[in-house]
Amino acid sequence: MRKALFLLIAALAPAQAFAANQVALDNNVFVERVTTDAAGKQRVLLEEPKVVVPGDRLVFVLNYRNAGAQPADKFVITNPMPSAVRFAGAGDTPPLVSVDGGKMWGQLADLTVPMADGTRRPAQPADVTHVRWAFQKPIPAGATGKLIFRGVVK
Amino acid sequence: MTSKLTYVGAIGMTAIALIAASPAYAAGTTAGTTITNNVTVDYQVGGVAQGQQTASNSFVVDRKINLLVEEVGSVTTEVVPGQSNAVTTFQLTNTSNEVLDFALTASQIAGGTAAHGGTDSFDVSNVRIYRDNISSGTVGSFDAADTLVTYIDELATDTPIRLFVVADVPAGLSTGAVAGVQLRATAREGGASGTQGAAITQTAGANTAAKDTVFADVAGVNDANRDASHSAADDYTVKTATLTVTKTSRVVDDPFNGTTNPKLIPGATVEYCILVANAAGGASATSVAINDSVPTQLTYVAGSARVNGTVTAGTCNTDGVAAGTNYAAPVVSGTVATVAAGDTRTLLFRATVN
């Protein structure tokens, strides 16, 4: 899982406007296990997803790196929630979320979900369909970053 | 289960997005489902939009074996001695993330405290397990439409089914006797309809490339934690009528004193009262037939019999009815329709001393 590979789309680039190999992206999933030791202390372990059953907590870790020579601007990372995973919060960098398949974006607290009777209720984490980080500032050349969010196997 | 990273270019992206077909979520994601997470990056360099970057990660959901056996109703089943087909009711739910077979075992406890606090004191016989028929007969109750089973075939996830443990009660038991029964279900491999699947074993040691198996069940009354089994208990409690019969007599009249301090001399009238008492806490006794032979030294007073009367402070009241009584020398008889638990009813008649 530690392989950090570059994404190659060189063959698809029609002209030099595309600076190939510009951004490296790495997507990892871990299972979060909480164990209680003899002293009653809780320890959180992140394991590779070897044995995964419904109800397990997952941590999705997205590593990015601007491998190019120029800053990358309008940097937007989008992650649709896998259909069998329920969103369960994000890390220190709160993402924008969508609860309608990626049409509208916002903080979870600001979004609503239509009800059968025409009213709208506040969105819950389980309603999240997409997670997105949109960076305001360019990512300088060579800069790296890590984004995480949590989910639960349905 | 495998965990792998896949890197694809922008074009391959649309194809991968739809890999995970909509899984059934009832008891959780179906075992064997691949969960694929895709992430994309859009960005610009020097104001020019660059090709979208994607990264993808997949893993397979393993098999979680879980089940729940519950007693339905949380009250004891009241039975009478000699009763056939006494029913206790249970419910089985497959909370695994796969369709499975379930082996069933009904057992009895030997002594000890039964499910509802009584002490187990007898065993029922001819113990069978029936599965409720949800399309005919009385749904939710034991009836002729239900099926005798030893295992449950291909039980869908999160759909509780009702099971009846049916047994016969021996004769000669007294009120308060308790028989504890337990029902255990054990998950078996599903997939082959019409036959009971093989036993399931937990995947030992390291993760395998295939779908692994994890036992997630809790301990029941006669099984352990994480053993692919669960069990629950119920009990039968005997509730019968316990009748005691008492006969009293008093002289009510003699030819000389009349009804004032009458004496037992020839020609005196004696009133006999037969009391049938049913002990409190049991069941009602019905069709209670009382017979009494009039002693040869006495002559029955025709038409004096009264049945179903009451008692006040040990003295019979004359509130019975003539209907239901009969005299066929020398036997006076009467039938009380019902003697409720804790109640006393009487047969009253008079006879004269010869």
Side-chain angles (χ1 to χ4, degrees):
Chain A
M1 296 290 276
R2 56 167 62 243
K3 295 171 287 183
L5 295 184
F6 295 91
L7 293 165
L8 301 175
I9 55 161
L12 303 169
Q16 70 263 45
F18 273 30
N21 303 352
Q22 181 72 34
V23 167
L25 189 59
D26 179 33
N27 175 357
N28 290 324
V29 180
F30 300 97
V31 180
E32 192 176 59
R33 302 217 188 274
V34 180
T35 55
T36 309
D37 65 16
K41 254 187 163 177
Q42 288 200 330
R43 293 178 59 201
V44 177
L45 293 175
L46 290 183
E47 298 175 353
E48 289 194 31
K50 289 175 176 174
V51 176
V52 182
V53 296
D56 279 350
R57 291 181 62 84
L58 303 173
V59 178
F60 293 85
V61 180
L62 313 174
N63 290 299
Y64 61 88
R65 184 160 71 96
N66 183 357
Q70 293 170 290
D73 201 4
K74 304 266 198 261
F75 196 85
V76 177
I77 295 180
T78 307
N79 194 140
M81 291 302 295
S83 59
V85 177
R86 185 174 70 241
F87 181 70
D92 296 337
T93 314
L96 297 172
V97 297
S98 173
V99 294
D100 55 6
K103 296 191 195 81
M104 287 176 59
W105 297 87
Q107 300 294 329
L108 185 60
D110 302 331
L111 296 174
T112 57
V113 174
M115 305 273 284
D117 61 3
T119 60
R120 299 185 75 86
R121 64 167 172 82
Q124 300 297 316
D127 299 321
V128 171
T129 60
H130 289 70
V131 180
R132 169 176 280 181
W133 289 267
F135 290 78
Q136 303 296 319
K137 293 179 181 171
I139 309 295
T144 64
K146 181 164 83 173
L147 301 166
I148 71 165
F149 66 94
R150 287 187 164 80
V152 175
V153 181
K154 289 181 187 172
Chain B
M1 196 223 68
T2 54
S3 170
K4 61 177 185 288
L5 284 173
T6 320
Y7 300 90
V8 278
I11 300 303
M13 197 38 233
T14 37
I16 245 186
L18 297 169
I19 275 181
S22 55
Y25 294 136
T29 306
T30 305
T33 302
T34 300
I35 294 183
T36 302
N37 188 46
N38 297 307
V39 59
T40 61
V41 175
D42 297 283
Y43 64 101
Q44 297 180 357
V45 173
V48 179
Q50 304 296 302
Q52 194 178 56
Q53 302 282 349
T54 50
S56 173
N57 180 296
S58 301
F59 60 87
V60 175
V61 175
D62 292 316
R63 182 166 66 159
K64 177 180 175 179
I65 303 291
N66 199 359
L67 70 159
L68 209 53
V69 178
E70 299 160 291
E71 182 218 345
V72 175
S74 63
V75 289
T76 191
T77 298
E78 288 182 352
V79 295
V80 298
Q83 181 180 340
S84 295
N85 297 337
V87 178
T88 49
T89 309
F90 294 87
Q91 179 172 292
L92 167 65
T93 312
N94 177 7
T95 51
S96 312
N97 56 348
E98 189 172 87
V99 175
L100 295 169
D101 288 355
F102 289 90
L104 300 176
T105 311
S107 57
Q108 302 194 54
I109 60 173
T113 304
H116 300 102
T119 301
D120 179 80
S121 59
F122 73 99
D123 278 352
V124 288
S125 61
N126 192 19
V127 180
R128 292 143 289 157
I129 304 167
Y130 284 84
R131 178 179 180 169
D132 189 31
N133 187 333
I134 57 165
S135 55
S136 75
T138 309
V139 176
S141 297
F142 175 66
D143 56 40
D146 299 339
T147 319
L148 183 65
V149 292
T150 56
Y151 71 97
I152 300 300
D153 198 26
E154 303 299 310
L155 180 58
T157 57
D158 258 11
T159 311
I161 59 165
R162 193 163 273 212
L163 298 168
F164 304 110
V165 172
V166 178
D168 297 343
V169 181
L173 296 163
S174 51
T175 296
V178 172
V181 291
Q182 299 180 337
L183 179 66
R184 182 172 68 206
T186 304
R188 313 274 290 198
E189 296 286 355
S193 185
T195 59
Q196 180 173 276
I200 297 174
T201 49
Q202 210 170 192
T203 306
N207 172 55
T208 68
K211 175 176 71 182
D212 295 332
T213 298
V214 176
F215 292 167
D217 58 281
V218 296
V221 294
N222 65 7
D223 69 282
N225 199 24
R226 299 188 63 188
D227 63 351
S229 295
H230 195 240
S231 50
D234 200 348
D235 53 23
Y236 297 103
T237 302
V238 173
K239 193 173 179 186
T240 187
T242 308
L243 299 183
T244 49
V245 181
T246 318
K247 186 174 177 180
T248 61
S249 66
R250 65 185 178 111
V251 56
V252 291
D253 180 76
D254 78 40
F256 302 97
N257 294 315
T259 56
T260 307
N261 297 324
K263 303 294 183 291
L264 267 175
I265 54 174
T269 303
V270 179
E271 185 180 88
Y272 281 96
C273 180
I274 297 153
L275 300 91
V276 177
N278 188 2
S284 295
T286 56
S287 303
V288 180
I290 306 166
N291 296 297
D292 189 40
S293 291
V294 180
T296 51
Q297 297 82 2
L298 302 177
T299 303
Y300 173 70
V301 177
S304 66
R306 297 287 182 274
V307 76
N308 204 25
T310 59
V311 177
T312 303
T315 305
C316 295
N317 300 321
T318 53
D319 55 358
V321 294
T325 63
N326 188 41
Y327 177 68
V331 177
V332 183
S333 62
T335 301
V336 180
T338 304
V339 182
D343 197 9
T344 301
R345 294 286 155 165
T346 63
L347 171 67
L348 189 79
F349 66 90
R350 289 183 177 185
T352 52
V353 180
N354 294 336

